[in-house]
Amino acid sequence: MAPQLDGYFEQVDALSESFIERLRSAVAIPSVSADEARRPDVIRMSKFLVSELTKLGAHVESRELGPQPEKPHLQLPPVVIARYGSSTSKRTILVYGHYDVQPAGIEDGWATEPFSLSIDDKGRMYGRGSTDDKGPVLGWLNAIQAHKEAGVELPVNLLMCFEGMEEYGSEGLDDFIGKEAKSGGFFADADAVCISDNYWLGTEKPCLTYGLRGCNYYSVSVSGPGQDLHSGVFGGTAQEPMTDLVRVLGTLVDTNGKIQIPGINEMVAPVTDEERALYDPISYTMENLHESLGSTTTIHSEKEPTLMARWRMPSLSLHGIEGAFSQSGAKTVIPAKVTGKFSIRTVPDMESEKVNEYVYKYVDEQFKKLGSKNKCEVKLQHAGNWWVASPNHWNFSAAGKAVEKVFGVKPDLTREGGSIPVTLTFEQATGKNVLLLPMGSSTDAAHSINEKLDRRNYIEGTKLLGAYLHYVAEEPMSNGA
Amino acid sequence: MAPQLDGYFEQVDALSESFIERLRSAVAIPSVSADEARRPDVIRMSKFLVSELTKLGAHVESRELGPQPEKPHLQLPPVVIARYGSSTSKRTILVYGHYDVQPAGIEDGWATEPFSLSIDDKGRMYGRGSTDDKGPVLGWLNAIQAHKEAGVELPVNLLMCFEGMEEYGSEGLDDFIGKEAKSGGFFADADAVCISDNYWLGTEKPCLTYGLRGCNYYSVSVSGPGQDLHSGVFGGTAQEPMTDLVRVLGTLVDTNGKIQIPGINEMVAPVTDEERALYDPISYTMENLHESLGSTTTIHSEKEPTLMARWRMPSLSLHGIEGAFSQSGAKTVIPAKVTGKFSIRTVPDMESEKVNEYVYKYVDEQFKKLGSKNKCEVKLQHAGNWWVASPNHWNFSAAGKAVEKVFGVKPDLTREGGSIPVTLTFEQATGKNVLLLPMGSSTDAAHSINEKLDRRNYIEGTKLLGAYLHYVAEEPMSNGA
């Protein structure tokens, strides 16, 4: 039975100006988590959410996470958790968002004050946090409000988890989620998870995101001399660490992105026909890529291999070298110790430990080939796993139907090349399906100057979040694989 | 006829404490040319020299060089030029030194106040500028004074050129020397040049230096994307400039320093038997090299090929990469434009223009092999030529005899791997033989913390400078090739 959503949708439209005012109030609080001096504003933002949620009748708790690691004089901002509805006959959906933002200043080149919502004649609402992630967070509050004022009962129990340190590594959150997902915890009865903290692939068509790549980040150090040397005095007499390092780094990947380390590509899950079929309908062109690259220096010339390379194939990037001369101008130094940094984006079914093993072995072999007396050391700096959900799960099919209802199109089924670590945390802690349901579009400039959220994305996005909850309530349990 | 030097030597010994006081006064003036705020001290140091030289009876001029390029509010320190003696029947020797010093602060790790001469029980005289180059400059003044007080006539006319910007690129000096070396100029009648601004190869045996390597410094830029990219979002879709650059840099030189660019090694002058014979007597061991490297990561395992590699063979060093991630930690950036820096130390008979030509051609070829859509640009940042003098010239044989007289050993005949650009400037401007006659030893730590000059090197060095002038006066003209 198709859910009756007309009353709810009408109420969202009727309340849209007040929803924009709610966003304006939120953007006005410069809740920059990376800036110690802004910590009181981050706290103030958490109180704003507590207050708004309380007014809506939710049960709200502000949970302290203790002092910030490595800055023990500073308290972490609280996690705001809330519950709206607790009927045992309803499904329970856990939603996540964050109320902290990236730093921003007019002096960075913003066209308008970053902490003052500024709406242009095309309905683009500029302001830090508008799309990342205050708009989506408030979308859930708006959805509750519109249901209440329309007199429509929320068809699920809604659990909320809004953190204040996402832009600074989500410090303290993993343990918190792990604890609350256990029996007796605040999130214990969640049946599925929905995260609204990423973006549409383009600007017209919504998407559901079912996968993220992982990232294993490595350093390779080559050292020899006891201190930096002058190339005039020592050039020709010492084996130079930089020569060795560059030669080793040069063997890792080729111009067309093919990883040269044996064993890596062999672990990649083959593309099934079912998966391949997901790519054709996706609204994306090579022109979109050229525009975002600012060039046509692409590896592939067609959409399908390009999206696969971005989402479901591993890649290896060389990021830079620590310890060498990196300024402009000229310096005739022979650096004594240089450390190359590179990372491998991982995908199903690559095992992180195996990747490390293959990388270590290969780098050692390549270095040995040089016959150098210098010392080479390769190590993992950090690793985060890939994540892939089943896009056939009821959590996704419900969201797909909600997109069709609100936007009149089937959503793109996408992955992301980068990582959103909290996704995997929720999946592992709850054991439930996790859906990424973005509100903003590809042009929103999260983390950049002139961040914005389009009015359409915010208002229709609020409708989408509410509609999703209705379709979730009606999905059969059978496709809960 | 061997010159009679006993009276002079005795006077040097008798005056040694006052010579050390002269050095103490000079070290106390922090004439740091790189530090704008210290410019008045640099000027003060020039006035100290003018005053001392005037007292000795020299004709002294303080020549202004005008405003400092790129800092037009700042006047360059003057060149102090002086003449002692103007007999047309005597040879005229032009000597060069500099009265400015490198920056220094106790907070850098000095064991004593850098601008206060501090003498330990082994006669090591610590202080910024002690060895580089105030000690050698004052050596010439001391030599004049000891001659005067001993009643011994100086057997040559002595021209002096002491500059105050050596540690900051000798700005303005080249043009000045060029002008003064011309007919009618202050240096017009110079018969040979002597520069005391380098160091013995070790600590026991003096050396005469007859060659310097040149340096051609290059940058290779690879660019593609319009701006830096995130490796999560774009890894696998864009051809990465860093991958291309590292692959190109990896083809330039191998671990054992062999330059891979065709044409370069082919230009190197063959080693003659006469030249080879110069190496065996040189007081130098692999242990000396290991000590200065702080490691045993050498290319060669024996003295002769090591010294040849340092002095008379080209070398290629990779200095670093501009535009890539160079900090500690981890950043998942794909840099949009990266610029590798490398330099080639040049030797006889390499032609600078040919070297450029071969480098450009090779880098282009290596980049083309990659089949990349990125753009690669290689260019010369700066070039300075190699210099080799004839160690058979009377200027050298006179200095060799002076070393034997003062120290009782034949000097090492050495080259330097690095460059002292003013050497070539003097040779080209005057057309005369240039000798590098160092006073300090290899452990003096010029440019480092705890710079020092040993009392022995200063006092016996003063004797050496004076003795050199006597032997110069007696050398036959015949070996003036």
Side-chain angles (χ1 to χ4, degrees):
Chain A
M1 191 185 81
Q4 290 308 309
L5 291 159
D6 294 352
Y8 167 63
F9 286 176
E10 280 164 20
Q11 198 59 45
V12 172
D13 284 330
L15 290 168
S16 60
E17 288 311 313
S18 74
F19 293 163
I20 290 169
E21 286 314 302
R22 177 175 277 146
L23 182 60
R24 189 185 303 281
S25 303
V27 165
I29 303 170
S31 51
V32 179
S33 49
D35 182 352
E36 205 166 308
R38 293 289 201 190
R39 188 56 52 89
D41 293 314
V42 184
I43 309 286
R44 188 151 60 94
M45 183 63 203
S46 77
K47 290 186 174 153
F48 172 80
L49 285 180
V50 168
S51 158
E52 293 287 297
L53 283 162
T54 304
K55 275 191 254 169
L56 292 172
H59 166 80
V60 194
E61 296 181 22
S62 186
R63 294 287 193 88
E64 295 300 331
L65 293 177
Q68 185 166 330
E70 289 167 41
K71 292 189 178 174
H73 62 288
L74 206 61
Q75 289 296 308
L76 287 167
V79 183
V80 175
I81 55 176
R83 167 181 284 275
Y84 191 81
S86 55
S87 162
T88 52
S89 65
K90 290 176 180 174
R91 278 180 174 153
T92 301
I93 300 298
L94 168 57
V95 304
Y96 161 89
H98 63 90
Y99 62 83
D100 63 319
V101 297
Q102 284 275 320
I106 188 92
E107 66 280 7
D108 299 335
W110 282 71
T112 58
E113 264 307 324
F115 295 108
S116 170
L117 197 73
S118 172
I119 309 176
D120 74 7
D121 55 4
K122 287 180 176 149
R124 292 180 293 211
M125 307 189 292
Y126 292 94
R128 176 56 89 216
S130 54
T131 195
D132 182 19
D133 188 37
K134 289 178 175 175
V137 164
L138 299 186
W140 296 111
L141 276 62
N142 297 342
I144 294 172
Q145 186 182 355
H147 275 88
K148 281 181 66 135
E149 301 203 10
V152 178
E153 189 187 334
L154 212 62
V156 299
N157 305 315
L158 191 61
L159 286 173
M160 286 159 270
C161 175
F162 301 135
E163 69 154 323
M165 281 297 276
E166 199 272 348
E167 303 294 3
Y168 202 73
S170 293
E171 303 218 45
L173 191 70
D174 277 14
D175 288 349
F176 176 81
I177 293 171
K179 216 172 56 195
E180 298 302 332
K182 288 213 180 89
S183 174
F186 202 89
F187 307 147
D189 63 332
D191 294 304
V193 180
C194 179
I195 297 175
S196 191
D197 189 22
N198 66 316
Y199 307 92
W200 299 356
L201 194 54
T203 57
E204 287 306 312
K205 201 170 158 196
C207 68
L208 312 181
T209 304
Y210 66 98
L212 300 167
R213 294 197 289 186
C215 182
N216 284 24
Y217 199 106
Y218 300 95
S219 64
V220 202
S221 296
V222 181
S223 57
Q227 67 288 321
D228 283 1
L229 304 171
H230 187 283
S231 69
V233 180
F234 292 101
T237 65
Q239 294 185 333
E240 303 186 11
M242 187 69 179
T243 301
D244 293 346
L245 178 65
V246 158
R247 292 207 146 207
V248 169
L249 294 180
T251 66
L252 298 174
V253 63
D254 74 11
T255 292
N256 286 316
K258 187 162 166 21
I259 297 172
Q260 311 286 302
I261 303 165
I264 301 285
N265 296 309
E266 289 78 352
M267 282 191 283
V268 177
V271 183
T272 62
D273 289 344
E274 188 189 17
E275 184 191 340
R276 193 180 301 280
L278 297 175
Y279 284 82
D280 193 48
I282 291 171
S283 169
Y284 190 77
T285 67
M286 290 306 287
E287 287 65 41
N288 294 145
L289 177 60
H290 295 161
E291 196 182 332
S292 53
L293 280 182
S295 75
T296 58
T297 55
T298 59
I299 290 175
H300 305 286
S301 54
E302 291 179 358
K303 175 179 92 171
E304 184 178 305
T306 293
L307 288 179
M308 284 195 181
R310 174 167 165 177
W311 293 344
R312 61 102 60 229
M313 295 295 179
S315 65
L316 191 156
S317 296
L318 304 174
H319 306 297
I321 295 174
E322 180 183 348
F325 175 56
S326 61
Q327 308 298 305
S328 61
K331 187 179 175 187
T332 55
V333 67
I334 298 175
K337 179 180 179 179
V338 283
T339 302
K341 312 282 178 82
F342 69 95
S343 66
I344 298 178
R345 295 284 161 177
T346 58
V347 297
D349 297 314
M350 293 165 71
E351 292 172 44
S352 184
E353 291 296 324
K354 282 267 182 206
V355 173
N356 297 345
E357 194 183 299
Y358 294 147
V359 166
Y360 299 159
K361 179 163 181 285
Y362 182 78
V363 168
D364 281 345
E365 280 170 6
Q366 297 305 309
F367 181 73
K368 281 208 183 78
K369 273 191 199 167
L370 302 178
S372 175
K373 296 174 188 166
N374 290 320
K375 207 182 133 212
C376 178
E377 193 182 15
V378 52
K379 58 183 180 191
L380 181 75
Q381 280 191 241
H382 64 69
N385 260 327
W386 48 264
W387 165 80
V388 177
S390 165
N392 298 323
H393 189 280
W394 55 257
N395 199 21
F396 279 82
S397 49
K401 287 171 191 168
V403 168
E404 278 202 76
K405 177 75 182 173
V406 175
F407 290 92
V409 290
K410 274 187 196 298
D412 284 334
L413 272 169
T414 67
R415 300 193 191 185
E416 293 264 355
S419 54
I420 306 177
V422 76
T423 311
L424 201 60
T425 305
F426 274 115
E427 183 183 88
Q428 289 172 342
T430 65
K432 306 294 178 178
N433 181 277
V434 181
L435 158 74
L436 302 185
L437 181 61
M439 176 182 272
S441 84
S442 67
T443 56
D444 283 358
H447 292 214
S448 293
I449 58 168
N450 302 325
E451 177 183 345
K452 58 95 176 162
L453 177 64
D454 290 349
R455 182 193 166 100
R456 169 183 180 240
N457 287 65
Y458 185 52
I459 300 304
E460 302 306 300
T462 291
K463 288 181 189 168
L464 173 63
L465 297 184
Y468 155 70
L469 299 177
H470 284 269
Y471 284 99
V472 153
E474 303 215 343
E475 281 291 301
M477 279 290 184
S478 59
N479 56 353
Chain B
M1 189 186 82
Q4 291 308 310
L5 291 160
D6 296 350
Y8 166 63
F9 287 176
E10 281 162 21
Q11 198 59 46
V12 171
D13 286 329
L15 289 168
S16 60
E17 288 311 313
S18 74
F19 293 164
I20 289 169
E21 287 313 302
R22 179 175 276 145
L23 183 59
R24 191 186 303 281
S25 303
V27 165
I29 303 171
S31 52
V32 179
S33 49
D35 182 351
E36 205 166 309
R38 294 288 201 190
R39 189 58 50 91
D41 293 313
V42 185
I43 308 288
R44 188 150 61 93
M45 183 64 205
S46 77
K47 291 187 172 151
F48 172 81
L49 285 179
V50 169
S51 159
E52 294 288 296
L53 283 161
T54 305
K55 278 190 254 169
L56 293 172
H59 165 80
V60 195
E61 298 182 21
S62 186
R63 293 287 193 87
E64 295 300 331
L65 294 177
Q68 184 165 330
E70 289 166 41
K71 291 188 178 173
H73 62 287
L74 206 60
Q75 288 296 307
L76 287 167
V79 182
V80 175
I81 56 176
R83 167 180 286 274
Y84 189 81
S86 52
S87 161
T88 52
S89 65
K90 291 177 181 173
R91 278 183 175 152
T92 301
I93 301 299
L94 168 57
V95 304
Y96 162 90
H98 63 91
Y99 63 82
D100 63 319
V101 297
Q102 283 277 319
I106 187 92
E107 66 280 6
D108 300 335
W110 283 70
T112 58
E113 261 309 322
F115 295 107
S116 170
L117 197 72
S118 173
I119 309 176
D120 73 7
D121 55 4
K122 288 180 175 148
R124 292 180 293 210
M125 307 189 291
Y126 292 95
R128 175 56 89 218
S130 53
T131 195
D132 181 19
D133 188 35
K134 289 178 174 175
V137 164
L138 299 186
W140 296 111
L141 276 63
N142 297 342
I144 295 172
Q145 185 181 355
H147 275 89
K148 281 181 65 133
E149 302 203 9
V152 180
E153 190 186 334
L154 213 61
V156 299
N157 305 314
L158 192 60
L159 287 173
M160 287 159 271
C161 175
F162 301 135
E163 69 154 322
M165 281 297 276
E166 198 271 348
E167 303 293 4
Y168 203 74
S170 291
E171 304 217 45
L173 190 71
D174 276 15
D175 287 350
F176 176 81
I177 293 171
K179 216 172 56 199
E180 297 302 333
K182 288 212 180 88
S183 174
F186 202 90
F187 308 146
D189 63 335
D191 294 304
V193 181
C194 179
I195 297 175
S196 191
D197 188 21
N198 65 318
Y199 307 92
W200 299 355
L201 194 54
T203 56
E204 287 306 312
K205 202 170 160 196
C207 68
L208 311 181
T209 303
Y210 66 98
L212 299 168
R213 294 197 289 187
C215 182
N216 284 23
Y217 200 106
Y218 300 95
S219 64
V220 201
S221 296
V222 181
S223 57
Q227 66 289 321
D228 284 1
L229 304 172
H230 187 283
S231 69
V233 181
F234 292 101
T237 65
Q239 292 185 334
E240 303 186 12
M242 187 67 180
T243 300
D244 293 347
L245 177 65
V246 158
R247 291 206 148 209
V248 168
L249 293 179
T251 68
L252 297 173
V253 64
D254 74 11
T255 292
N256 286 315
K258 187 164 168 19
I259 298 173
Q260 310 287 304
I261 303 165
I264 300 287
N265 297 309
E266 290 79 350
M267 283 191 282
V268 177
V271 182
T272 63
D273 289 344
E274 187 188 18
E275 184 190 342
R276 193 180 300 281
L278 297 176
Y279 284 82
D280 192 48
I282 291 172
S283 169
Y284 190 77
T285 65
M286 290 307 287
E287 286 65 41
N288 295 146
L289 178 60
H290 296 161
E291 197 182 334
S292 54
L293 280 182
S295 73
T296 58
T297 55
T298 59
I299 290 175
H300 305 285
S301 54
E302 290 179 0
K303 174 179 93 171
E304 184 178 304
T306 293
L307 288 178
M308 285 197 178
R310 174 168 165 176
W311 293 343
R312 62 101 61 227
M313 295 294 179
S315 63
L316 190 156
S317 296
L318 304 174
H319 307 297
I321 296 175
E322 180 184 349
F325 175 57
S326 62
Q327 307 299 304
S328 62
K331 188 178 173 188
T332 54
V333 67
I334 298 174
K337 180 179 180 179
V338 283
T339 302
K341 312 283 178 78
F342 69 95
S343 66
I344 297 178
R345 296 282 161 177
T346 59
V347 297
D349 298 316
M350 291 165 69
E351 292 172 44
S352 185
E353 291 296 323
K354 283 266 182 207
V355 173
N356 297 344
E357 195 182 297
Y358 294 146
V359 166
Y360 300 159
K361 179 163 182 283
Y362 182 77
V363 168
D364 281 345
E365 281 169 5
Q366 297 306 311
F367 182 73
K368 281 207 183 77
K369 274 190 198 168
L370 302 178
S372 175
K373 296 173 189 168
N374 290 320
K375 208 181 133 212
C376 177
E377 195 182 14
V378 53
K379 59 184 180 191
L380 181 75
Q381 280 192 240
H382 63 71
N385 261 329
W386 47 264
W387 164 80
V388 177
S390 165
N392 298 323
H393 189 278
W394 57 256
N395 199 22
F396 279 82
S397 50
K401 288 172 190 169
V403 168
E404 277 201 78
K405 177 76 180 171
V406 176
F407 290 91
V409 290
K410 276 188 195 295
D412 285 334
L413 272 168
T414 67
R415 300 194 191 184
E416 293 265 356
S419 53
I420 305 176
V422 77
T423 312
L424 201 61
T425 304
F426 275 114
E427 182 182 271
Q428 289 173 342
T430 64
K432 305 294 179 180
N433 181 278
V434 181
L435 157 73
L436 303 184
L437 181 60
M439 175 181 273
S441 82
S442 67
T443 56
D444 282 359
H447 292 215
S448 295
I449 58 168
N450 302 324
E451 177 183 344
K452 59 94 176 163
L453 176 64
D454 290 349
R455 182 192 165 101
R456 168 181 180 239
N457 286 63
Y458 184 52
I459 301 302
E460 302 305 302
T462 291
K463 292 181 188 168
L464 173 63
L465 298 182
Y468 154 71
L469 299 177
H470 284 269
Y471 284 100
V472 152
E474 304 216 342
E475 281 293 302
M477 278 290 185
S478 58
N479 55 354

